[in-house]
Amino acid sequence: MIALYTGRITINYPISLTLSVLAGFFWIILTEREELQQRRVQSEDQKAPDPFLAGIVALVVGLFTARLVYICLHFNYFRLNPAETVYLWEGGLSGVGGAAGALIGLGLYTLYSGGNFWSLGDALAIPAQFTLFGSWAGCWFDGCAYGTLTNVNPILLGTDPFGSSVQRWPTQGMGVIFSVISFALLTWVGEQETPSGLRLALSLTLGAMSAAIISLYRSDPVLLLGPARLDTWGY
């Protein structure tokens, strides 16, 4: 049994997540749209697969599945409080469910548009890191995904939603740093001649690996599977 924490997440998380998503779409416009227009002119195909639209579909499906998986994992609570299933501002998104949903959304758009899954995924690799950055930054502001207690004096200060002054592992700050490192690495890889799909695979791997490592230091309530958190196994 676990106790759900709801009702105290402030507006900082949704604002941070929204701004990071917008930054990701702006990145697509800057880096991909010009190339898309050139391909359309060359092929005279005005319905060529658009990474911007692919990102929108991936985002919508990803948010839906992130919430759906979270509700399913805490079904007993939401069965008694059904109205709260739509209270996204109170937190409650599954990172694993969101990533899986984004891939499903990308696949659906690929089938609809006739595009290449891997090339479209490459275009969304860096915007995905923007989204992760915004998620971790939002948790840093609001105290979600907080770390375990520690006697070590970390350089960064881990926050929690209780306003306490105890020392915690800076899980949110670790996530922000990992996202920045992943962004830098993916930017460098993007400047090289690489096989199609490599940036997508690398972005997924870096995001999952960092989240799995950070989960070992998290203390927010979650379902357990054997000796580890369920989300650790998921990542």
Side-chain angles (χ1 to χ4, degrees):
M1 296 293 293
I2 66 170
L4 275 185
Y5 178 82
T6 61
R8 294 188 182 181
I9 299 301
T10 69
I11 200 66
N12 292 318
Y13 181 89
I15 288 178
S16 177
L17 181 60
T18 300
L19 290 177
S20 65
V21 168
L22 292 176
F25 281 119
F26 187 65
W27 176 273
I28 294 175
I29 293 174
L30 288 178
T31 60
E32 301 292 337
R33 297 284 281 187
E34 183 177 350
E35 180 180 346
L36 173 64
Q37 293 300 329
Q38 292 177 352
R39 291 202 304 269
R40 284 176 172 172
V41 171
Q42 293 172 357
S43 63
E44 297 182 353
D45 181 6
Q46 296 303 310
K47 295 183 179 180
D50 189 335
F52 190 88
L53 294 178
I56 292 178
V57 176
L59 174 66
V60 171
V61 179
L63 285 176
F64 175 78
T65 55
R67 185 61 173 175
L68 179 62
V69 170
Y70 184 86
I71 291 172
C72 291
L73 292 176
H74 307 95
F75 179 74
N76 288 334
Y77 176 86
F78 288 103
R79 177 174 58 85
L80 300 175
N81 304 274
E84 295 189 19
T85 58
V86 297
Y87 290 1
L88 297 180
W89 56 88
E90 291 188 352
L93 298 174
S94 166
V96 176
L103 288 175
I104 292 173
L106 178 60
L108 292 174
Y109 178 79
T110 300
L111 291 175
Y112 169 78
S113 65
N116 183 281
F117 178 88
W118 300 110
S119 61
L120 287 171
D122 283 342
L124 302 181
I126 288 181
Q129 294 302 322
F130 278 100
T131 302
L132 288 177
F133 177 90
S135 297
W136 286 116
C139 281
W140 204 353
F141 297 142
D142 288 344
C144 53
Y146 53 89
T148 57
L149 298 177
T150 177
N151 292 324
V152 178
N153 187 16
I155 298 177
L156 301 174
L157 178 63
T159 61
D160 60 37
F162 314 111
S164 62
S165 58
V166 297
Q167 290 187 171
R168 294 186 180 275
W169 279 106
T171 48
Q172 307 101 333
M174 292 166 62
V176 168
I177 291 174
F178 275 130
S179 298
V180 172
I181 294 175
S182 298
F183 170 81
L185 181 58
L186 286 167
T187 302
W188 177 79
V189 171
E191 296 174 350
Q192 317 301 316
E193 290 291 336
T194 58
S196 178
L198 178 62
R199 279 183 290 168
L200 171 62
L202 186 59
S203 183
L204 288 171
T205 301
L206 292 171
M209 182 177 64
S210 60
I213 294 173
I214 292 171
S215 70
L216 301 177
Y217 297 91
R218 285 176 58 172
S219 185
D220 51 311
V222 72
L223 296 172
L224 300 177
L225 181 59
R229 296 166 56 100
L230 187 60
D231 55 351
T232 304
W233 291 113
Y235 290 122

